[in-house]
Amino acid sequence: LGFRDIPWPVFSQPQALDELAPAKVTRFVLSPLHPGETRREKVRTALRRWHPDRFGRVLARVGEEDREAVEEGVGIVVRCLNGMLER
């Protein structure tokens, strides 16, 4: 797997790390198309999916050349989601 193969939580699949912006993640997670009734439910569902401990299974399949970018991308997503929970 590579960075482009990860189903990032944004509407337009990023081709590089700099395209994975917190505002895009927020728009996607809070979209009416995303599961959950309340804002908090939507964010918690996304956090369960993107938590680094759970994502480790996927990360093990990522090629060495993309592993650092994927780890950083997961970090961006998780920090964004945690920030959404705090608001």
Side-chain angles (χ1 to χ4, degrees):
L1 290 175
F3 181 86
R4 295 178 183 182
D5 299 317
I6 304 297
W8 298 105
V10 292
F11 286 111
S12 178
Q13 186 69 6
Q15 301 302 303
L17 190 58
D18 61 346
E19 296 175 23
L20 189 60
K24 291 180 180 181
V25 173
T26 300
R27 252 192 320 272
F28 180 83
V29 171
L30 297 181
S31 163
L33 301 174
H34 201 77
E37 291 185 19
T38 67
R39 172 189 171 103
R40 187 169 186 82
E41 286 175 355
K42 290 179 182 204
V43 174
R44 291 184 89 134
T45 298
L47 266 172
R48 279 192 293 276
R49 171 173 283 186
W50 289 96
H51 193 279
D53 291 344
R54 295 189 93 198
F55 202 79
R57 294 179 299 202
V58 174
L59 195 57
R61 297 177 48 210
V62 173
E64 191 64 40
E65 65 280 357
D66 283 344
R67 187 165 292 148
E68 187 175 325
V70 170
E71 285 177 340
E72 194 170 333
V74 170
I76 290 169
V77 170
V78 170
R79 283 189 297 278
C80 175
L81 294 170
N82 282 329
M84 290 169 64
L85 268 184
E86 293 170 1
R87 288 185 227 144

